[in-house]
Amino acid sequence: MTQPLFEHRQRFAGFDTRVLELEGAGAPLVLLHGFADSADTWRPVMALLGRHERRALAVDLPGFATADPLGAEPVLPQLESFARAVVEHAVDGSSEPAVVVGNSLGGCITLRLAQDHEAELAGVVPVAPAGLDMAAWFAIIERAPLLRTLLALPTPVPEQLVRSVVGQVYRQLAFSRPRLAAGEVVDAFTSHHRDRETVARYIATARRLLPELRDPFALERIDCPVLLVWGDRDRMVGHSGAQRVLDAVPNARLELFEGCGHCPQVEQAERLTKLLRDFPVRTTAAAA
């Protein structure tokens, strides 16, 4: 039986946001998206999880998509408090602790949750997490010629043009084979980039984040299972930073997806979903 995905709004840690939720059994899966993305990035994975009646929910992070704006305080602590509240909601009424899965910026938040010990977690799955090395992801975005031209135009820009430019940049940076990126996936991403002001706001948020991402972890504090997932053709964040986690966390392993870019949850949703269904049992057994 396939469980239906339902969408609603809820408030976590003072931020109103959109929630995509699946009812079901097993350790609840909390899915966190990356920078400038949205909960929609997890729809392919959630469609597969629904076939197996697995409890899962994805949210728009504060400052992105349909969620409330971020406050003036440092960004990472705000996102971490928000994610912790989402985890508390996910495990309410469950007999099992949650598994937190995050892509890119969401992966950074996932690792920070694992090290703070305020929420009991069955394990975490950082997918191409930011913050392990100083990859030039922001420079890549900011220097994209199409994006620079869009932001420099002196006249109002129609929504169709903004979404077209953002979509082309997204294809080039997030996917191993840009031309094969599914149109509905690109449309879902650009639906949250409808005007130039939103794009400029996201870039301003990235500038705020850069100093915070230079040393955001205390990896030696992590004691739950960690499954790192990375694409070997990731243009945004190289997988060399994974070694830091493998060296610091005894119960950690790396799954490197061949021929995959920055968003395995989109490009190789079936493989990632299978890993999530087996986690953390398989990781724990491998470490033993």
Side-chain angles (χ1 to χ4, degrees):
M1 178 179 177
T2 300
Q3 290 292 335
L5 178 69
F6 62 99
E7 182 173 331
H8 61 98
R9 300 209 55 95
Q10 193 149 341
R11 198 166 188 84
F12 300 108
F15 294 98
D16 184 74
T17 192
R18 179 178 58 132
V19 182
L20 306 181
E21 192 158 0
L22 280 173
E23 294 182 344
L29 290 164
V30 174
L31 309 171
L32 307 177
H33 65 77
F35 175 80
D37 210 337
S38 75
D40 294 316
T41 193
W42 295 106
R43 285 186 184 272
V45 168
M46 296 186 84
L48 296 168
L49 290 170
R51 298 177 190 175
H52 298 279
E53 302 183 31
R54 183 66 183 270
R55 170 98 169 105
L57 67 158
V59 292
D60 291 339
L61 290 174
F64 303 107
T66 72
D68 279 347
L70 289 158
E73 303 82 11
V75 173
L76 291 182
Q78 293 183 71
L79 297 181
E80 187 177 345
S81 295
F82 171 86
R84 192 180 302 114
V86 176
V87 170
E88 291 172 359
H89 167 77
V91 300
D92 186 26
S94 172
S95 60
E96 299 184 57
V99 172
V100 184
V101 187
N103 174 232
S104 196
L105 175 59
C108 174
I109 302 305
T110 295
L111 284 169
R112 285 172 63 94
L113 284 178
Q115 72 189 28
D116 74 6
H117 296 172
E118 289 191 27
E120 183 183 355
L121 301 175
V124 295
V125 185
V127 181
L132 289 172
D133 59 32
M134 287 312 295
W137 61 274
F138 176 64
I140 293 171
I141 295 172
E142 192 175 41
R143 293 172 187 170
L146 285 172
L147 203 57
R148 293 180 66 183
T149 300
L150 174 71
L151 294 174
L153 289 173
T155 57
V157 181
E159 177 184 325
Q160 184 177 0
L161 177 57
V162 175
R163 293 183 64 175
S164 175
V165 169
V166 170
Q168 290 183 60
V169 174
Y170 176 56
R171 285 177 183 271
Q172 291 296 323
L173 298 183
F175 298 95
S176 61
R177 293 178 290 178
R179 293 183 180 180
L180 298 182
E184 62 270 20
V185 171
V186 178
D187 285 345
F189 182 85
T190 63
S191 68
H192 303 293
H193 299 73
R194 294 181 179 274
D195 53 66
R196 192 166 49 177
E197 290 71 22
T198 298
V199 177
R201 175 166 53 84
Y202 286 171
I203 289 177
T205 299
R207 290 196 182 99
R208 289 174 60 189
L209 268 169
L210 283 177
E212 298 182 47
L213 289 172
R214 289 200 177 98
D215 190 20
F217 303 124
L219 297 173
E220 68 281 355
R221 290 176 50 82
I222 297 176
D223 56 13
C224 67
V226 177
L227 171 61
L228 286 159
V229 176
W230 234 299
D232 68 348
R233 296 185 183 178
D234 192 331
R235 296 182 177 91
M236 301 291 289
V237 183
H239 58 81
S240 60
Q243 193 60 48
R244 288 182 55 194
V245 180
L246 298 176
D247 290 343
V249 182
N251 198 1
R253 69 183 179 95
L254 169 65
E255 284 280 344
L256 193 62
F257 286 17
E258 293 183 4
C260 186
H262 189 57
C263 298
Q265 72 274 13
V266 175
E267 281 196 276
Q268 296 191 21
E270 289 193 12
R271 181 177 176 185
L272 178 58
T273 302
K274 186 178 186 309
L275 287 174
L276 296 181
R277 289 177 55 217
D278 291 341
F279 181 78
V281 174
R282 188 179 170 197
T283 297
T284 305

